Amino acid sequence: MAQPLSADKFLTVLKKSGVRVVEHGTWRTHNRNHKGAWGPVNGVMIHHTGSYTTEADMVDLCRTGYTSLPGPLCHGVIDRSGTVHLVGYGRANHAGLGDDDVLKAVIAEKTLPPDNEANTDGNPHFYGFEAINTGKGQSWPQAQLDAMHKVSAALCRAHGWTERSVIGHKEWQPGKPDPTGFAMDAFRATVAQLLGGKQTGTRPQENEPETGYAPFPGSDYFRPGRRSALITAMGKRLVAEGCGTYSQGPAPSWTEGDRRSYAAWQRKLGYSGDDADGIPGPTSWARLRVPQS
């Protein structure tokens, strides 16, 4: 539980996370504070937008809202390139009514119970990010997922929270499906790695890395000329997953064989096109479970 960051601090925290940030209009003072409290804040809530015509139109919709639900509809919109568009700050119409038992679990940073009630206003308590996705089977670009993880971890770090303070809208309000296409337990696992690799709470769920697995070193780590035992360990895991395409190796030096093998792993996870380029990202890395070297 904490008081919300100032708008300037919020902006600084997001920029320091490494994401590209675009400011829209008077976002610092665009809010629904006249309708109720903003704070104390307890966590970060992730959404998907639903169907859209263009990404620019969706950013504008999240800023202005519509007649029955005035904007802002979140604090930041994360587009498919990973850019974070700031559209409002303060109370925003994003969380709506949800389960008070879920809120208590977020505050205590414990495993979430089922969301079976809608009896508590979540708008004062969560930073909200809308990620542009139809929610109808559309893929998630790695750059977009990376940005979603980074902003979540950055806000957790700023408040001293663990990954347990990050939830999906579908875990808060009964009947909500967002975000679709990935498990929030796996999402939190990557946030935990960005926070230092230590997870909290109960026994890890499926696709979450247990203690002893290597934290994600960053996409820039994987480049020609890099040599480390971590690359060998990664290659061995790719072979174990049936994704090894090595003519020789795995070995400590990053090679084209490593890139091809990792691309096979990304495709196995369901990525395609530019999202299966063979360069590790935090979500695919967390699911590979590379041992500490």
Side-chain angles (χ1 to χ4, degrees):
M1 183 179 296
Q3 290 305 304
L5 302 176
S6 69
D8 286 343
K9 179 65 173 178
F10 179 74
L11 176 62
T12 298
V13 164
L14 296 190
K15 286 185 172 180
K16 283 186 175 180
S17 76
V19 301
R20 178 173 181 262
V21 179
V22 175
E23 302 174 66
H24 291 262
T26 56
W27 69 269
R28 288 175 173 82
T29 56
H30 181 43
N31 55 55
R32 303 290 295 166
N33 289 1
H34 62 288
K35 288 294 185 179
W38 164 232
V41 289
N42 306 109
V44 180
M45 187 174 292
I46 301 297
H47 308 255
H48 73 234
T49 58
S51 299
Y52 60 97
T53 303
T54 68
E55 293 187 62
D57 286 344
M58 180 52 73
V59 171
D60 192 57
L61 176 63
C62 288
R63 183 177 65 84
T64 60
Y66 41 92
T67 302
S68 61
L69 192 67
L73 305 184
C74 59
H75 301 110
V77 183
I78 304 177
D79 71 21
R80 295 180 65 74
S81 74
T83 297
V84 180
H85 300 263
L86 299 185
V87 297
Y89 198 68
R91 183 185 176 92
N93 278 329
H94 75 99
L97 294 177
D99 196 312
D100 63 334
D101 291 328
V102 172
L103 181 60
K104 291 173 185 175
V106 171
I107 293 171
E109 298 195 310
K110 295 182 178 180
T111 301
L112 300 179
D115 54 332
N116 53 21
E117 294 181 291
N119 58 9
T120 300
D121 183 6
N123 291 330
H125 299 297
F126 292 96
Y127 297 104
F129 291 93
E130 288 278 357
I132 296 182
N133 188 287
T134 64
K136 299 177 181 178
Q138 188 177 28
S139 66
W140 287 95
Q142 191 62 54
Q144 186 180 33
L145 287 170
D146 288 350
M148 293 159 66
H149 295 133
K150 286 177 180 179
V151 298
S152 298
L155 289 169
C156 286
R157 187 177 295 110
H159 284 292
W161 298 332
T162 74
E163 79 282 359
R164 294 287 179 187
S165 290
V166 181
I167 68 171
H169 198 198
K170 61 188 176 185
E171 297 176 303
W172 169 248
Q173 189 174 92
K176 290 294 183 181
D178 57 312
T180 62
F182 57 83
M184 285 305 300
D185 282 331
F187 188 95
R188 281 186 284 268
T190 303
V191 173
Q193 288 195 328
L194 292 176
L195 289 171
K198 182 178 180 181
Q199 286 185 257
T200 60
T202 59
R203 182 178 61 83
Q205 304 295 314
E206 183 180 3
N207 295 328
E208 289 186 346
E210 299 101 359
T211 302
Y213 289 93
F216 180 58
S219 295
D220 290 343
Y221 185 89
F222 302 97
R223 54 179 173 79
R226 176 73 70 184
R227 181 181 176 88
S228 76
L230 181 63
I231 292 174
T232 304
M234 176 202 73
K236 290 179 178 179
R237 283 291 300 126
L238 292 170
V239 170
E241 291 289 342
C243 297
T245 64
Y246 299 95
S247 56
Q248 291 183 326
S253 295
W254 176 261
T255 67
E256 180 63 15
D258 292 300
R259 192 197 65 76
R260 289 195 306 267
S261 298
Y262 204 93
W265 168 242
Q266 290 168 323
R267 290 192 295 272
K268 183 176 180 178
L269 295 179
Y271 298 116
S272 61
D274 291 342
D275 300 325
D277 61 2
I279 304 302
T283 302
S284 57
W285 182 266
R287 296 182 66 178
L288 187 58
R289 295 181 174 180
V290 178
Q292 292 274 11
S293 59

